[in-house]
Amino acid sequence: IRTPMNAVIGMTHLLYETQPNASQKDYLDALRFSADSLMGLINNILDLSKIEAGELAFEQKTFDLAELLHGLQQTFQFKVREKPVSVTIDIDPQIKNQLIGDLTRLNQILTNLLGNAAKFTRRGTIGIRAQLVEAKAEQYHLQFRVHDTGIGIDPAKLELIFQNFKQADLDTTRKYGGSGLGLTIVKQLVELQGGSIIVESIPGHGSTFCVNLPFQNSGKAADRDQAPIPEPRD
């Protein structure tokens, strides 16, 4: 399913290099946006199918949390470069060592949540705060708080957003797009790893998604020497 879509996306990028005129570039922008959206939908459906079939496996590899979060900060600061939005990260200094777990799936969870934060925030701040909730034996219990200063969610509709193909309301779909599968997959990925997710939100004042996940403590010191991301200009 993904192979022909990859070909479409690849050809789109090649066409950008042929020095298209203004009208052609507009057509290519529309094509790329649609192709990327469709690829995202395909990936979500395939992930959901794997989850429902019980075929999703989780890796156990050592990784540096600071490296992951700084990479996300850099990526999303670029994505919101046209808006007066700052992307922040905050890592609890008590998380002294590297973690053992599924880096790919953690990245998928945080990318999805931070992507929603970026989409629904016109100005202000989006970010991730990683906190150590409990450390015992060789295990870390961490909480990731993905926060934003965006449009917020009606309290009566907080549970609805975790259901398949559901968003808070039709107006959200019209204005911001999306398939309504991202948060469903995030919830499943979190719970399959023995974690939990809740959301706190005030309409007009932003949202915070709290993800609790267990990881093994590798015993190897984490790298704290990361370059800061510059603040955006208004």
Side-chain angles (χ1 to χ4, degrees):
I1 296 174
R2 281 186 286 222
T3 300
M5 282 307 304
N6 281 324
V8 171
I9 293 170
M11 291 302 296
T12 302
H13 286 290
L14 289 176
L15 286 170
Y16 272 111
E17 298 176 4
T18 63
Q19 297 182 337
N21 60 39
S23 295
Q24 290 171 331
K25 186 177 182 300
D26 287 341
Y27 298 151
L28 286 173
D29 288 344
L31 177 60
R32 183 180 64 178
F33 176 81
S34 297
D36 288 344
S37 296
L38 184 54
M39 179 61 86
L41 178 58
I42 290 170
N43 288 336
N44 282 340
I45 290 173
L46 291 175
D47 276 343
L48 196 59
S49 297
K50 286 181 182 179
I51 291 170
E52 292 179 346
E55 296 181 356
L56 195 67
F58 293 95
E59 295 182 336
Q60 294 297 310
K61 293 184 177 181
T62 301
F63 66 93
D64 194 301
L65 180 62
E67 183 178 345
L68 169 63
L69 295 188
H70 280 280
L72 287 171
Q73 182 185 29
Q74 186 172 21
T75 297
F76 278 93
Q77 192 65 77
F78 178 77
K79 287 185 176 182
V80 300
R81 65 191 183 281
E82 296 180 356
K83 300 191 288 186
V85 174
S86 298
V87 183
T88 66
I89 61 167
D90 181 17
I91 306 173
D92 190 337
Q94 294 184 87
I95 307 172
K96 300 179 182 296
N97 294 333
Q98 296 186 24
L99 310 177
I100 299 176
D102 196 317
L103 171 62
T104 300
R105 295 304 178 182
L106 177 59
N107 181 67
Q108 183 178 1
I109 290 166
L110 297 179
T111 295
N112 190 298
L113 294 176
L114 204 56
N116 277 350
K119 180 165 61 173
F120 297 123
T121 301
R122 295 178 180 174
R123 61 174 60 248
T125 304
I126 65 173
I128 302 173
R129 181 177 297 113
Q131 295 178 296
L132 179 65
V133 176
E134 184 180 21
K136 58 181 181 181
E138 298 179 352
Q139 194 171 56
Y140 278 152
H141 286 269
L142 304 185
Q143 182 180 84
F144 299 92
R145 296 177 65 87
V146 182
H147 55 87
D148 65 66
T149 56
I151 63 174
I153 306 167
D154 186 331
K157 298 177 180 177
L158 289 179
E159 290 302 318
L160 182 67
I161 62 175
F162 291 109
Q163 297 178 20
N164 288 355
F165 300 102
K166 296 290 188 181
Q167 292 192 330
D169 52 52
L170 292 176
D171 188 52
T172 298
T173 305
R174 283 193 299 269
K175 287 184 178 179
Y176 300 97
S179 65
L181 283 176
L183 289 177
T184 301
I185 293 170
V186 164
K187 188 172 189 291
Q188 296 273 14
L189 291 176
V190 169
E191 292 179 348
L192 285 171
Q193 295 179 86
S196 62
I197 180 171
I198 62 171
V199 57
E200 306 163 353
S201 186
I202 300 174
H205 294 276
S207 304
T208 299
F209 285 82
C210 302
V211 175
N212 291 279
L213 279 172
F215 293 93
Q216 287 181 267
N217 178 357
S218 72
K220 182 180 178 181
D223 180 12
R224 292 290 181 180
D225 186 18
Q226 297 283 345
I229 305 299
E231 291 293 321
R233 292 176 296 177
D234 287 346

